[in-house]
């Protein structure tokens, strides 16, 4: 066995006559199919075109993100403005009974001029504050009835008034911009 490990095997070289014979025995159809099976060389992709396509995709993503952020910013600002307006309207609504009481106090006759002057000054101060807060006071006799602004609690049939005209105001209405804080309570003509 020692002799076998020391012997090196000689490489077997094919006989050139045998290989030629094998090549010539191969039919022509097999040669054609082998040529057809080899893939045609593909043109190499243009790195500039790939880079431009990637740039366009990233630019499109950037524009979409910027538009999304702008919409979010506008929506957040609108929500913030609405919350502020609603809070302001709620605070004003809580002050309306004071306005109503001062209005009733001014309608009462009194012999005390100082008392009447004090109530008038208080009412004037409250009306000025409401104007500064951009609150509109509405509802006066002679106005036309608007169901978005007025609450008709009584009707009167009188030919001296136009149809839908406000005859009497029981409680003034208040609005803040386009938001109605309190509807005016009125009597209308039919």
């Amino acid at each position: 066995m020692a002799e076998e490990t020391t012997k090196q095997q000689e490489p077997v070289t094919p006989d050139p006559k045998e290989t030629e014979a094998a090549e010539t025995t191969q039919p022509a159809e097999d040669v054609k199919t082998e040529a057809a099976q080899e893939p045609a060389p593909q043109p190499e992709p243009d790195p500039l075109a790939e880079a431009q396509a990637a740039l366009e995709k990233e630019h499109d993503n950037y524009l979409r993100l910027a538009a999304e952020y702008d919409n979010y910013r506008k929506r957040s600002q609108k929500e913030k403005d609405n919350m502020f307006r609603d809070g302001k309207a709620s605070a004003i609504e809580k002050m309306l009974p004071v306005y109503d009481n001062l209005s009733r106090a001014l309608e009462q006759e009194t012999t005390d001029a100082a008392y009447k002057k004090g109530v008038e000054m208080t009412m004037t101060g409250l009306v000025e504050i409401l104007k500064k807060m951009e609150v509109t006071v509405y509802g006066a006799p002679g106005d036309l009835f608007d169901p978005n602004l007025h609450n008709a609690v009584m009707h009167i049939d009188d030919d001296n008034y136009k149809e839908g005209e406000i005859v009497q105001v029981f409680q003034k209405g208040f609005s803040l911009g386009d938001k109605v804080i309190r509807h005016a309570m009125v009597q209308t003509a039919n």
Side-chain angles (χ1 to χ4, degrees):
M1 285 228 189
E3 288 179 17
E4 288 179 19
T5 56
T6 57
K7 261 191 185 179
Q8 293 182 348
Q9 292 183 348
E10 293 180 20
V12 179
T13 57
D15 186 20
K17 290 179 185 176
E18 287 178 11
T19 56
E20 283 178 19
E23 288 176 5
T24 56
T25 58
Q26 192 175 33
E29 293 174 6
D30 289 344
V31 174
K32 287 180 186 175
T33 56
E34 283 180 15
Q37 288 177 356
E38 290 180 18
Q42 296 291 329
E44 285 191 28
D46 184 18
L48 179 61
E50 287 180 358
Q52 285 177 338
L55 177 65
E56 286 177 16
K57 182 180 177 186
E58 289 301 318
H59 182 67
D60 183 54
N61 288 342
Y62 168 75
L63 289 178
R64 290 176 189 273
L65 182 65
E68 255 182 66
Y69 176 73
D70 191 44
N71 290 340
Y72 167 76
R73 186 182 52 79
K74 288 176 184 176
R75 186 175 56 248
S76 296
Q77 184 63 39
K78 186 177 179 182
E79 287 174 0
K80 187 172 95 174
D81 291 344
N82 285 341
M83 282 191 290
F84 178 74
R85 186 193 66 187
D86 291 346
K88 189 175 175 182
S90 178
I92 291 167
E93 186 177 17
K94 303 249 186 309
M95 293 186 333
L96 294 183
V98 174
Y99 180 91
D100 294 335
N101 290 336
L102 288 173
S103 295
R104 283 191 217 88
L106 287 173
E107 291 171 3
Q108 299 301 315
E109 292 297 321
T110 182
T111 56
D112 190 355
Y115 174 77
K116 184 167 180 103
K117 181 73 172 170
V119 173
E120 286 173 354
M121 288 175 59
T122 305
M123 182 62 147
T124 303
L126 181 59
V127 169
E128 286 178 16
I129 289 170
L130 292 175
K131 283 182 184 176
K132 286 179 185 175
M133 295 178 77
E134 300 172 353
V135 175
T136 306
V137 181
Y138 63 89
D143 291 349
L144 286 179
F145 177 76
D146 181 358
N148 297 321
L149 301 174
H150 303 100
N151 180 17
V153 292
M154 293 178 70
H155 298 282
I156 186 172
D157 289 325
D158 193 342
D159 294 333
N160 296 332
Y161 299 104
K162 294 183 275 182
E163 186 175 333
E165 184 178 347
I166 295 174
V167 177
Q168 188 177 4
V169 178
F170 301 112
Q171 211 174 41
K172 294 276 189 179
F174 295 85
S175 65
L176 179 63
D178 61 347
K179 180 178 177 62
V180 175
I181 299 172
R182 181 175 80 183
H183 292 83
M185 192 180 306
V186 298
Q187 178 184 25
T188 60
N190 284 343

